Amino acid sequence: MGSHITIEDKLKERIKELTCLYKVSSLIRNNNNNNFSDINTLFKEIAASVKEAIRFPEEAFVEIKIEDFVFVEGRKIQDAIFIISAVKAFGKIKGSLTVGYSKQKFSENSFLEEEKLLLHKIATEIGDFLERKQIIEKEEIAKRQIERAGRLTILGEITAGIAHELNTPLANILGFSELLKEQYKDDKVASEDLKKIINSAIYSREVVKKLMFFSCEMPQQMTSVNINLIINEAISLLNPNFKKKNIHCTITFSSDEIYLKVDKIQLTQVIFNLVINAIYFSPVKGKINIDVLENSKKIQIRISDEGEGIQSVNSENIFNPFFTTKPIGDGSGLGLSVVHGIIKSHKGTIIHQPNSPKGTIFVVSFPKS
């Protein structure tokens, strides 16, 4: 097709281009207002608008590529002559916008300079849209994390109060039960009943102790230690648990000696709880990997399993006391809340993320200073 174009044709093309720009801006604005609800439909509509704005729409195809998303309006021609514009967000190329014709029918001159400018403007609009989307998503994540931290702080304060209130009556139950035990040592039935009371009180005291761990109320003995030794020791004690399910556990350290100021008993408890959880949710003959990494600012312990993973509906609650996905009798729901409390008292953080292809990775980070 020839490249000759009259003033009237030029005017028609300008109107088409301006209409396209207006429509794309409106589509993006509407999608912003709807919280980015249907991005696929948005890109399809943008591609259709661009195709209509091109000089020979019935002969053209428009392709929008954004990361994993690819949409083609019109029939894509392999042997094509085309113009392309990169879609960038925060200075990084996220995809491209392409308009093409058949090489057999068209030449380089078939594209107008204004069409190249139009393509660039729309690619810029898409890039700006992706930037806004990314900012809002990050804000949402930060907001959820702040809300969760706030909930856990309030929960910690309530829990600490409950733990202190329970300590005195439990001490009384244990003390008076021990006195009664002496009085009824010749009465076999009464002795057995008192033994049950004492065991129940001891169990309750352990729960209170765990609640105090969660609310950071336990005294700590902080010393600078080679945590590699503590982790190896904790894992060796769990060997029978690994054998029971034929689980293969590998531990890797980024260096032979990694020193950190911690409470040794509390760090052991963190490793124990996280690894016992990983064993519980792992399949038979599964793999558990423990990676201990050190850099100039922090020390990270990554514990990954090949279980079913944590459902998104539960992800916000797993560190709350008494929350458990295990069947009744298999767990008190205090393991991860204790872990959270200990890590928080060491000024560290704990997060979880999906493992690939399945499972969970718990990432514990401790600051070095």
Side-chain angles (χ1 to χ4, degrees):
M1 288 199 183
S3 61
H4 180 69
I5 185 165
T6 65
I7 291 168
E8 192 183 342
D9 288 337
K10 277 186 180 180
L11 196 60
K12 280 179 185 172
E13 290 305 316
R14 282 317 68 74
I15 291 165
K16 277 162 71 178
E17 286 158 17
L18 287 169
T19 306
C20 173
L21 264 178
Y22 175 75
K23 193 173 179 187
V24 168
S25 295
S26 301
L27 288 167
I28 286 173
R29 190 170 60 251
N30 289 340
N31 209 284
N32 285 346
N33 295 340
N34 295 329
N35 295 323
F36 315 106
S37 56
D38 193 355
I39 291 168
N40 287 8
T41 304
L42 170 71
F43 290 145
K44 285 173 186 175
E45 287 177 340
I46 288 174
S49 299
V50 172
K51 189 169 179 286
E52 284 305 308
I54 295 301
R55 199 169 157 202
F56 309 110
E58 64 285 348
E59 300 281 351
F61 72 88
V62 177
E63 182 185 69
I64 295 180
K65 272 187 188 175
I66 306 291
E67 291 175 336
D68 298 333
F69 176 90
V70 181
F71 179 75
V72 181
E73 180 73 23
R75 192 172 61 83
K76 188 172 179 179
I77 302 150
Q78 293 309 317
D79 191 22
I81 188 156
F82 58 85
I83 51 173
I84 186 167
S85 195
V87 174
K88 292 180 184 178
F90 298 111
K92 290 182 180 174
I93 292 174
K94 293 286 180 182
S96 59
L97 177 59
T98 308
V99 176
Y101 294 123
S102 166
K103 251 185 190 174
Q104 275 75 45
K105 293 185 183 179
F106 295 87
S107 70
E108 286 279 357
N109 299 330
S110 304
F111 292 108
L112 303 171
E113 281 303 313
E114 289 83 0
E115 287 174 344
K116 292 172 191 174
L117 284 171
L118 174 73
L119 213 62
H120 177 68
K121 281 177 186 170
I122 289 168
T124 304
E125 285 257 14
I126 294 170
D128 291 347
F129 165 78
L130 294 175
E131 283 183 5
R132 284 194 298 277
K133 181 175 175 287
Q134 205 173 315
I135 288 164
I136 285 167
E137 280 170 356
K138 280 183 178 174
E139 281 174 356
E140 278 298 312
I141 291 164
K143 192 178 163 189
R144 282 203 302 274
Q145 285 173 341
I146 290 162
E147 282 171 358
R148 189 173 146 269
R151 283 200 305 273
L152 286 172
T153 301
I154 293 162
L155 209 49
E157 287 167 8
I158 295 165
T159 304
I162 293 167
H164 284 298
E165 287 293 321
L166 288 173
N167 259 338
T168 306
L170 282 173
N172 289 339
I173 292 165
L174 272 171
F176 285 113
S177 298
E178 290 290 349
L179 287 171
L180 285 167
K181 205 173 156 189
E182 279 300 307
Q183 287 179 36
Y184 289 93
K185 61 184 173 188
D186 298 328
D187 185 334
K188 200 177 176 186
V189 175
S191 290
E192 280 300 312
D193 288 343
L194 283 165
K195 200 175 173 183
K196 286 173 186 170
I197 291 168
I198 289 164
N199 285 341
S200 294
I202 289 167
Y203 174 78
S204 301
R205 195 173 61 183
E206 286 303 307
V207 170
V208 167
K209 203 185 279 182
K210 284 180 178 177
L211 288 172
M212 289 175 86
F213 266 123
F214 169 72
S215 58
C216 312
E217 289 285 320
M218 292 296 288
Q220 290 175 321
Q221 290 183 316
M222 305 285 274
T223 49
S224 183
V225 288
N226 178 7
I227 63 164
N228 296 15
L229 300 175
I230 295 170
I231 293 166
N232 274 329
E233 204 173 294
I235 298 306
S236 68
L237 291 169
L238 290 168
N239 271 339
N241 303 61
F242 291 120
K243 281 177 183 169
K244 203 183 273 184
K245 287 180 86 171
N246 202 1
I247 287 166
H248 181 66
C249 179
T250 58
I251 314 172
T252 54
F253 300 100
S254 62
S255 52
D256 294 339
E257 293 184 341
I258 299 174
Y259 281 87
L260 183 66
K261 198 172 184 181
V262 288
D263 181 302
K264 287 200 290 188
I265 293 166
Q266 290 187 4
L267 180 63
T268 303
Q269 202 163 1
V270 166
I271 302 301
F272 252 64
N273 275 321
L274 290 176
V275 176
I276 282 169
N277 254 7
I279 293 168
Y280 181 89
F281 290 106
S282 286
V284 174
K285 293 184 180 177
K287 284 181 188 172
I288 292 173
N289 293 327
I290 299 160
D291 298 294
V292 186
L293 312 160
E294 179 186 28
N295 63 32
S296 58
K297 288 183 180 176
K298 64 184 177 183
I299 288 163
Q300 206 175 70
I301 302 166
R302 296 171 66 88
I303 297 168
S304 63
D305 64 56
E306 296 178 329
E308 290 304 312
I310 295 164
Q311 290 181 6
S312 55
V313 71
N314 297 326
S315 65
E316 293 288 308
N317 300 313
I318 61 163
F319 297 114
N320 292 352
F322 306 112
F323 178 83
T324 183
T325 56
K326 294 174 185 175
I328 291 165
D330 273 14
S332 63
L334 284 171
L336 285 177
S337 64
V338 166
V339 163
H340 181 274
I342 292 169
I343 292 164
K344 188 181 168 192
S345 69
H346 282 74
K347 306 284 186 288
T349 60
I350 178 166
I351 60 162
H352 60 85
Q353 55 198 47
N355 194 13
S356 182
K358 65 171 190 168
T360 304
I361 305 170
F362 276 95
V363 183
V364 178
S365 300
F366 293 111
K368 287 185 80 172
S369 55

